[in-house]
Amino acid sequence: MASELTPYLHVRDARAAIAWYVDTLGAQIVADPIEMPDGRLGHVELAVGGARWMMSDEFPELHAEAPRGDRGLPVTLHLTVPDADGLCARVVAAGTSLDRGPEDAPPAGRVASFRDPFGQRWFLNQP
């Protein structure tokens, strides 16, 4: 069996994040949300074009915390997409500013980056 590395994101409002990722990035829910007794979402799985990630509300008591706006992020999510310009247009229409691009960056292809409303940093690549 091959190893697999899947990002597990923690956000302050998982329900709002699910809606944003579905509406803006075109994500699909591939494993239904699990609601904890206290109302927080303990787990959900999403995917864009087969690129999958897991997500939950934050659980500070378990050291699973959402990004904070006052510091940089140690991880960037790299997502290969068929239409970087189209996805960037949806991101901007959803009220999010782009940090970079979309622009041509040989030999990588067409690239862009942004920080979503939940503090996660995304790098888009259209080879």
Side-chain angles (χ1 to χ4, degrees):
M1 180 168 133
S3 292
E4 184 177 294
L5 180 64
T6 304
Y8 205 120
L9 310 181
H10 306 291
V11 296
R12 283 188 220 127
D13 185 345
R15 287 174 178 82
I18 291 167
W20 196 89
Y21 294 140
V22 167
D23 293 344
T24 305
L25 299 185
Q28 295 179 321
I29 297 170
V30 294
D32 289 333
I34 298 171
E35 185 173 329
M36 306 309 289
D38 65 4
R40 292 181 290 178
L41 292 187
H43 184 81
V44 65
E45 295 181 30
L46 300 138
V48 172
R52 190 176 186 128
W53 71 95
M54 300 174 193
M55 187 173 68
S56 76
D57 276 310
E58 62 181 348
F59 289 82
E61 68 277 15
L62 300 175
H63 305 287
E65 298 182 50
R68 301 287 182 238
D70 63 345
R71 62 181 186 222
L73 296 173
V75 174
T76 296
L77 302 164
H78 184 280
L79 180 63
T80 303
V81 297
D83 180 11
D85 291 88
L87 185 50
C88 285
R90 291 197 309 273
V91 165
V92 171
T96 301
S97 299
L98 299 175
D99 295 328
R100 176 181 179 190
E103 63 192 35
D104 292 325
R110 194 100 173 124
V111 301
S113 66
F114 64 93
R115 191 163 169 164
D116 72 29
F118 310 95
Q120 308 295 336
R121 186 170 187 273
W122 294 81
F123 183 90
L124 305 178
N125 176 229
Q126 177 185 338

